[in-house]
Amino acid sequence: MTRTDRLYALMEELRAVAPRPVTVPALARRLEVSERTVQRDLKALAETGAPVYSATGRGGWSVDPAMTLPPIGFTPGEALAVAAALAAAEGSAPFADGIRGAMRKIAASLSGQALVEAHELAARIVALPSRIDPAVRGVVELALSRREVLSLSYLDAAGRTSQREVEPAGLLTAEGRWYLVAWCRLRRAPRGFRLDRIHGATPTGRPAPRRELADLLGSAATGAVTPAALDSLAP
């Protein structure tokens, strides 16, 4: 069993009995590895943001069932399609920090010819480093999630830098670029800010008025659609 397979199996063992905890010795027996290996793998999972935690006072480890998905069965074609999409998004798409974890789960679900094809695909994909500052991306993500006013340092198309306070409404992707759509308090108008031109972003902690994305986009929303990949998440 590879380490990727073992991490996936470890999550499945915890999920199967969640929210009840499982002791490290029990996990080691089930996975046929040492207790030290289990401890190291549990620490690695926790560091990547997986919802595992030590059940203080009860012994063992547990996983929050509300924060995980049940096992997903991909067809080889689906797995390869998702893997390619995730590879293209890494480092540039908002909310991309979970990509490596998702890729590990996809890899663990593959076997046989599908795994061979995935390895061949991976060898043929390269990417140039993203120009979007990861720290900026993280602040923008948090502001959108919390509906907070953001303070931006923004470089416009003419090369001029300005300081703005904005009220985030949503994200727009077009021709491979990502934009933060927001109400600009400096211009007193809706604006789209290219993420790769935001040189600095600072949370203000102040709540932003609720603004609808379609309202701010106005005529620019003509032809805009929710990406088909997100259809199943739509309310």
Side-chain angles (χ1 to χ4, degrees):
M1 180 184 291
T2 67
R3 186 164 189 251
T4 297
D5 292 339
R6 194 173 65 245
L7 291 173
Y8 184 78
L10 189 56
M11 284 294 295
E12 292 309 299
E13 289 289 345
L14 294 173
R15 184 186 289 115
V17 297
R20 299 198 311 275
V22 184
T23 65
V24 169
L27 290 168
R29 287 194 300 272
R30 293 176 192 176
L31 300 180
E32 299 181 344
V33 295
S34 69
E35 292 182 20
R36 172 182 278 185
T37 296
V38 170
Q39 290 279 22
R40 185 171 63 245
D41 288 349
L42 286 167
K43 182 180 179 181
L45 284 170
E47 289 176 348
T48 61
V52 298
Y53 59 91
S54 176
T56 305
R58 301 173 65 189
W61 286 70
S62 188
V63 62
D64 183 353
M67 297 296 290
T68 62
L69 296 173
I72 298 173
F74 289 108
T75 66
E78 290 171 341
L80 293 174
V82 173
L86 291 177
E90 184 174 19
S92 61
F95 302 99
D97 287 343
I99 282 178
R100 291 187 180 180
M103 288 294 294
R104 283 196 297 268
K105 293 174 185 176
I106 291 173
S109 74
L110 299 176
S111 61
Q113 184 58 33
L115 185 57
V116 171
E117 292 179 17
H119 286 162
E120 291 179 351
L121 173 67
R124 298 183 182 190
I125 297 176
V126 295
L128 294 174
S130 170
R131 292 185 295 174
I132 298 175
D133 184 339
V136 166
R137 179 167 54 81
V139 172
V140 169
E141 292 168 359
L142 195 60
L144 280 168
S145 299
R146 295 181 175 177
R147 295 188 182 276
E148 289 183 354
V149 175
L150 265 180
S151 176
L152 302 181
S153 176
Y154 189 70
L155 181 70
D156 66 19
R160 298 183 297 261
T161 300
S162 60
Q163 304 299 316
R164 319 276 188 108
E165 279 201 351
V166 304
E167 301 167 7
L171 295 163
L172 168 71
T173 180
E175 300 179 350
R177 293 192 175 112
W178 282 93
Y179 299 81
L180 170 66
V181 180
W183 179 265
C184 178
R185 291 184 170 181
L186 177 65
R187 304 301 184 203
R188 297 185 179 182
R191 288 288 187 271
F193 300 94
R194 268 178 49 177
L195 293 191
D196 60 344
R197 288 182 179 165
I198 299 176
H199 286 189
T202 305
T204 67
R206 303 196 302 273
R210 186 182 185 93
R211 295 188 180 276
E212 298 300 328
L213 183 59
D215 293 339
L216 266 63
L217 285 172
S219 61
T222 303
V225 297
T226 298
L230 300 180
D231 283 350
S232 58
L233 295 178

